Amino acid sequence: MKKVERSLTGLLGKPYMDAVTGAAAVLLGMDSGQARKLAEEKVDFLPQEWLRRMDAMLDRVGEQICPPVADTVQGAPTNAFAKAANSQASPVSGFGYYRLGEDGRLYLASKSEHYHTPMGHNFPGYRLIDNARALGVTNATHNNTRGYITRLCERELVRCANGLARGDVQGLEKVLASTERHVLNRVINLETGSLACEAGIKMMLARFYRLDKTFPAPKYSGKIPVFFVMQDYDGGAMANYHGTTVLAQTFRDMWPELYAGAEAGRLYEVCPIAINNIEDFKEKFARYNTGNYKAAGLIHEIILMNYGGIKLHEDYLQEVYRICHEGDTPILCDEIQSCMWYEGMFLFRLYGLNPDFVAIGKGFPGGQYPASRILLSAEMDNLNQFGALVTNGQEELASLAYLITMEYAQENAEEIRDICAYYEEQAETLKARFPSVVERIEGQGLLSAVTFRDVGETVRFVQLLQEECIDVSAQVYKACCPPAALLKLPLIASRTMVDWMIQRMAGVLTRMKTEAGG
């Protein structure tokens, strides 16, 4: 990885930091020299010694390296959370792609703590957040007082989402002023991916229903809105996942009686579309974009990490986008799970897509804060301030975490591309070596799934790796979902770490083959 060093002044600009250091002297009584020192301190985002230390500890994964927590607590969970709890693996501390559990053992965070930590634990670059906090930069703001860092972050997101070069101020201003369709130039700051997706769904609905009585009749008032989502292999809608709000849950076969009532009342309908089947989409789009119906929107991920890690094909999505754009149907690309895991930070750009909404989160703040965003075009900017806001969505230090992560990712774009390609190559060797067990390797880059021929084999594979304190999960509970083991290695993974991980997986597969008498 390339060496990245930045100070708060270098990242946020001198005029703003002059104001911050001046305020630190007046409000906090801080010595002006000390304040300036904090503002100018260059932080090495990922020192070479840090990387060497991570690689050197690989063979200690699974070892008890510290005493366990002597007297833990159970909390007050619901029944479902209590049943799923694994407090032994709960974090006491973390270092890079390691987590120290309450049992004192060293765990490998090979799922990046469910996408939250692309930079691993205690990423050194986030020390800039500590410096900002020491200088009195407040985290809490309000929607009407969005801070400088948040506003700067919004501009950077728009610049990167539109593929503009750094320093292209003229190009950025042109994009920000654009009213052309499918140009992402608005940002709503939220806290969770669920709320980001919900905001997009509401803006799609606003073309059919008024947000409140002050709004004029929408463009498609009187039409029945139909939402397209990914279909599972049993014909249902369980292959999609766009958050935990009630509306989004009805899109994936939850709250069936509630949805049936909405459908009977002709309020909206959900139409699942077959994965990577363009003829199926064409037929359903034609059926639901005429007469009393109107195609209200397509909502999709690119890598279905909640359905076997299946990857949607580029040519399929490009044709789907063409049809939707011609039919005046907005598209929400849900990158909550895929954002930041690829060269350029946005997977939709690698696919050559031009969505109307992009939901992002998890990866950008690096696990430091719950901070999601939805990017949208001017055409879709159809709600008032209270239609999609979250009171705490504008947090300044959360936006700073975004900028730090983005800075590292941009400087290391080639390295990120290379480690993704290297992992893919090495993962494919597992299929070649164990064809009787491994069906295929799904996903793309570090977001991957090892798909097995049998559910029992998937469960056994995950069980054996978890016994070695390697964090892998099984996805075997959805309708006709390919039985898959999910992995999401951090972006800071080295080739040494990838080789070690592949070796451990191969060892488990060899053991399974022996157990089966193969």
Side-chain angles (χ1 to χ4, degrees):
M1 294 292 183
K2 288 182 181 176
K3 185 180 182 68
V4 180
E5 283 188 326
R6 297 290 185 274
S7 67
L8 287 172
T9 298
L11 197 63
L12 304 177
K14 188 175 185 301
Y16 172 71
M17 288 310 301
D18 283 346
V20 168
T21 54
V26 174
L27 294 179
L28 306 181
M30 184 178 291
D31 176 78
S32 59
Q34 177 62 23
R36 177 51 56 192
K37 184 178 179 181
L38 279 173
E40 300 292 344
E41 180 191 3
K42 285 190 174 182
V43 171
D44 188 343
F45 280 18
L46 195 61
Q48 286 299 311
E49 176 54 34
W50 181 277
L51 292 168
R52 286 192 291 268
R53 181 171 172 77
M54 281 195 295
D55 284 347
M57 294 182 69
L58 280 166
D59 287 333
R60 301 194 70 183
V61 170
E63 180 182 335
Q64 184 175 339
I65 63 172
C66 290
V69 174
D71 187 14
T72 190
V73 295
Q74 298 304 313
T78 63
N79 292 337
F81 276 85
K83 184 178 180 180
N86 179 16
S87 298
Q88 288 188 330
S90 298
V92 172
S93 185
F95 168 65
Y97 40 72
Y98 300 110
R99 178 193 341 125
L100 180 68
E102 287 189 21
D103 58 4
R105 300 174 76 191
L106 188 65
Y107 290 79
L108 186 71
S110 43
K111 278 178 55 186
S112 298
E113 311 300 15
H114 203 76
Y115 314 89
H116 286 280
T117 58
M119 303 295 125
H121 289 289
N122 290 309
F123 178 63
Y126 293 138
R127 199 170 89 222
L128 288 179
I129 299 174
D130 298 330
N131 289 357
R133 188 183 289 110
L135 286 166
V137 174
T138 61
N139 194 38
T141 63
H142 190 263
N143 299 289
N144 298 338
T145 54
R146 290 166 27 259
Y148 172 89
I149 302 176
T150 295
R151 301 195 306 272
L152 180 63
C153 181
E154 292 169 359
R155 290 174 64 90
E156 279 295 286
L157 286 170
V158 169
R159 180 183 68 77
C160 293
N162 285 277
L164 299 175
R166 293 189 188 198
D168 186 1
V169 178
Q170 184 177 358
L172 178 56
E173 293 299 336
K174 182 178 179 181
V175 165
L176 289 169
S178 175
T179 57
E180 293 182 18
R181 301 180 69 196
H182 323 306
V183 175
L184 299 171
N185 60 3
R186 305 283 195 276
V187 179
I188 301 177
N189 306 298
L190 301 154
E191 285 211 303
T192 72
S194 296
L195 294 178
C197 290
E198 176 82 356
I201 295 169
K202 285 191 286 190
M203 284 182 266
M204 291 176 178
L205 273 178
R207 307 205 312 159
F208 297 82
Y209 301 109
R210 294 183 299 161
L211 176 67
D212 63 38
K213 295 179 180 179
T214 67
F215 279 64
K219 183 176 183 178
Y220 293 111
S221 179
K223 296 282 187 178
I224 303 169
V226 179
F227 295 92
F228 298 97
V229 296
M230 286 299 123
Q231 177 179 292
D232 61 52
Y233 288 146
D234 200 33
M238 290 182 67
N240 83 90
Y241 183 97
H242 304 292
T244 57
T245 59
V246 172
L247 191 59
Q249 286 184 337
T250 66
F251 288 8
R252 55 186 172 106
D253 292 343
M254 298 178 72
W255 307 101
E257 292 83 10
L258 178 65
Y259 171 67
E263 185 179 23
R266 302 172 75 84
L267 296 179
Y268 70 93
E269 290 191 23
V270 177
C271 178
I273 55 175
I275 295 170
N276 290 323
N277 185 332
I278 192 61
E279 295 306 318
D280 177 77
F281 178 73
K282 287 179 178 178
E283 186 275 321
K284 289 174 178 174
F285 189 87
R287 187 197 319 168
Y288 287 111
N289 201 42
T290 188
N292 291 328
Y293 291 106
K294 176 70 186 81
L298 166 68
I299 309 167
H300 75 93
E301 296 176 289
I302 298 176
I303 310 296
L304 308 181
M305 291 303 286
N306 283 281
Y307 199 70
I310 297 170
K311 177 172 68 173
L312 299 187
H313 300 158
E314 290 184 35
D315 57 350
Y316 167 76
L317 281 177
Q318 288 169 0
E319 180 64 6
V320 164
Y321 271 54
R322 184 192 65 78
I323 294 168
C324 285
H325 290 340
E326 289 182 357
D328 191 26
T329 299
I331 301 172
L332 192 163
C333 181
D334 181 352
E335 287 227 39
I336 294 297
Q337 300 191 78
S338 59
C339 65
M340 194 54 68
W341 250 267
Y342 298 96
E343 175 191 1
M345 299 177 284
F346 296 99
L347 186 53
F348 80 87
R349 287 198 56 80
L350 295 184
Y351 268 57
L353 305 175
N354 54 347
D356 303 276
F357 304 94
V358 176
I360 61 172
K362 290 189 187 291
F364 275 92
Q368 301 303 295
Y369 297 92
S372 291
R373 309 282 188 258
I374 186 164
L375 284 66
L376 60 139
S377 67
E379 182 184 19
M380 295 298 126
D381 186 0
N382 58 16
L383 297 180
N384 63 26
Q385 184 183 16
F386 294 96
L389 65 76
V390 174
T391 302
N392 295 330
Q394 325 297 330
E395 294 175 332
E396 284 283 86
L397 297 181
S399 295
L400 180 56
Y402 261 68
L403 291 171
I404 293 167
T405 313
M406 292 170 71
E407 189 73 10
Y408 178 85
Q410 289 176 87
E411 289 294 324
N412 283 282
E414 292 183 11
E415 287 72 18
I416 290 169
R417 179 194 62 204
D418 290 347
I419 197 65
C420 284
Y422 183 71
Y423 174 77
E424 275 192 338
E425 292 169 3
Q426 298 308 307
E428 284 292 339
T429 65
L430 296 176
K431 180 178 180 298
R433 292 172 61 186
F434 303 95
S436 63
V437 180
V438 177
E439 176 73 24
R440 62 184 178 274
I441 306 297
E442 272 285 5
Q444 181 164 322
L446 299 176
L447 290 188
S448 72
V450 181
T451 302
F452 291 81
R453 301 185 185 277
D454 177 79
V455 169
E457 291 170 341
T458 309
V459 173
R460 183 59 173 158
F461 178 77
V462 169
Q463 177 190 20
L464 292 173
L465 285 173
Q466 288 180 345
E467 287 176 0
E468 296 184 22
C469 294
I470 298 171
D471 191 15
V472 180
S473 64
Q475 197 170 79
V476 295
Y477 57 91
K478 291 190 175 183
C480 296
C481 178
L486 302 180
L487 299 98
K488 308 103 183 177
L489 302 188
L491 287 179
I492 60 172
S494 65
R495 291 196 173 207
T496 301
M497 188 269 211
V498 168
D499 290 343
W500 185 92
M501 185 70 193
I502 296 295
Q503 182 183 30
R504 287 299 185 277
M505 289 194 285
V508 164
L509 290 168
T510 299
R511 178 175 171 181
M512 290 170 58
K513 186 177 179 181
T514 301
E515 289 175 348

